[in-house]
Amino acid sequence: MKATQTNITFNTRIQDIARTMGISPRARHLIHGGTTNDLSTLKPEDIVTLVREGVLKDQDALFWLSVLAVQAEQEATHHEKLATIDELSGVYNRRTFIDTFSRELTRLRAKYDRNQYLAKDQPLAVSLAIVDIDHFKNINDVYGHSVGDRVIKGIARALTKSIRGGDTVYRYGGEEFAVLLGETNEKEAHKAAERFRTTIKKIRFVGMVGNKKKTFRITASVGIVVVHAEDIKKNKMTDTLIPIFVDRADAALYEAKHTGRDRVVMWHKGL
């Protein structure tokens, strides 16, 4: 389905180029499925050479150069997606999380520097929630890894639907997801994390045990850390702060796991 949609998008854009340029009947024939003299596999310099040798008209050369530009743009978009998206879950990957968290911390410090211009009720904070599926190994052991993969995808969809606009979901690793919540204080972060937890708990999954189909539910534990502007105001190297705040969220998650699971814990200095 994705490949078909990509082809439709590509062909539509080529048709738009053709209409805009008023290309020759021969080139128009190629757009509609002709295969003779298809120049889309050539390099731009090769097309320029054909024009100089009188083999290709200027108008047709412009068309094929436009085709190459569209192809290059789509290839760049595809490679960017591979670099930022987790293939299994479809959400952003860990590398993108690190980059985005760093930018969020830099933005937070900048807001602190000009906080006199901000609304008084605007939180000078960003929150990180780490969501971990409880007993995930048991799911793989009982139902198989393919069902485990479906659980990962299901959780990713559930989290994506549960966040606010501007918040982002990442697959941090294995059965762990990270959610960045911009301009969010403790109360709002805890409310969001409870929403994640209860949403996950309602999902039904189906797996086979022997010859029997079974429906099961899962739970998740959530650890939260809230980063206030005051926490980072003196440190301009935001990359060095990320491991500290991730460790704090992990400590809160550890507490959630060891006090019953299926719960939300906020990091505090006593953890």
Side-chain angles (χ1 to χ4, degrees), residues 105 108-113 115 120 122-126 185-186 226-235 241 245 248 269:
L105 294 177
L108 180 62
R109 190 178 62 245
K111 285 182 178 180
Y112 180 83
D113 292 339
N115 64 350
K120 292 182 179 180
Q122 182 175 355
L124 283 173
V126 60
N185 58 27
E186 281 83 355
V226 179
V227 183
H228 293 275
E230 291 86 351
D231 299 333
I232 62 172
K233 63 182 180 181
K234 295 182 180 179
N235 195 322
L241 295 173
F245 296 126
R248 290 179 180 180
K269 290 185 178 180

Side-chain angles (χ1 to χ4, degrees), residues 9-78:
T9 302
F10 177 77
N11 291 334
T12 299
R13 294 191 62 180
I14 298 305
Q15 293 287 353
D16 290 341
I17 293 171
R19 282 192 295 270
T20 301
M21 298 180 62
I23 63 168
S24 67
R26 178 176 62 80
R28 189 178 296 277
H29 167 68
L30 291 174
I31 300 172
H32 288 286
T35 56
T36 305
N37 298 327
D38 185 344
L39 307 183
S40 61
T41 58
L42 296 182
K43 296 180 180 179
E45 53 266 33
D46 296 329
I47 292 178
V48 172
T49 299
L50 292 176
V51 173
R52 290 174 177 171
E53 293 176 352
V55 177
L56 194 64
K57 295 180 180 179
D58 289 349
Q59 187 104 350
D60 288 349
L62 288 173
F63 166 74
W64 287 113
L65 289 172
S66 299
V67 171
L68 296 181
V70 171
Q71 290 180 159
E73 178 186 349
Q74 291 200 330
E75 287 177 5
T77 300
H78 176 66

Side-chain angles (χ1 to χ4, degrees), residues 93-262:
N93 59 23
R94 181 170 180 160
R95 169 184 168 185
T96 310
F97 163 73
I98 298 298
D99 292 343
T100 307
F101 198 11
S102 178
R103 289 196 300 270
E104 284 294 323
L105 294 177
T106 300
R107 188 179 296 114
L108 180 62
R109 190 178 62 245
K111 285 182 178 180
Y112 180 83
D113 292 339
R114 56 183 177 84
N115 64 350
Q116 65 268 28
Y117 302 109
L118 299 177
K120 292 182 179 180
D121 60 347
Q122 182 175 355
L124 283 173
V126 60
S127 297
L128 165 64
I130 294 185
V131 182
D132 186 275
I133 303 171
D134 295 329
H135 301 298
F136 184 71
K137 182 178 182 299
N138 290 348
I139 296 172
N140 283 330
D141 291 344
V142 173
Y143 300 103
H145 288 275
S146 61
V147 174
D149 287 349
R150 291 206 299 271
V151 169
I152 293 291
K153 294 176 183 178
I155 300 305
R157 287 193 298 268
L159 290 173
T160 301
K161 291 179 180 179
S162 300
I163 60 175
R164 309 165 303 178
D167 298 337
T168 42
V169 179
Y170 310 82
R171 188 179 180 201
Y172 191 70
E175 66 271 27
E176 279 192 345
F177 292 85
V179 184
L180 283 177
L181 307 161
E183 298 179 358
T184 307
N185 58 27
E186 281 83 355
K187 182 179 179 180
E188 294 167 336
H190 194 278
K191 182 179 179 180
E194 280 291 348
R195 186 170 64 250
F196 303 155
R197 186 186 66 80
T198 55
T199 298
I200 290 169
K201 198 171 182 178
K202 293 176 182 177
I203 304 173
R204 291 185 177 183
F205 295 98
V206 178
M208 298 293 294
V209 179
N211 295 324
K212 293 183 178 180
K213 182 183 293 187
K214 286 195 174 184
T215 300
F216 65 96
R217 298 179 189 269
I218 62 172
T219 61
S221 302
V222 187
I224 309 171
V225 62
V226 179
V227 183
H228 293 275
E230 291 86 351
D231 299 333
I232 62 172
K233 63 182 180 181
K234 295 182 180 179
N235 195 322
K236 295 184 179 181
M237 301 296 291
T238 55
D239 288 350
T240 64
L241 295 173
I242 292 175
I244 295 173
F245 296 126
V246 170
D247 285 347
R248 290 179 180 180
D250 272 334
L253 177 63
Y254 180 88
E255 181 71 8
K257 290 285 188 181
H258 286 77
T259 52
R261 294 185 171 85
D262 186 25

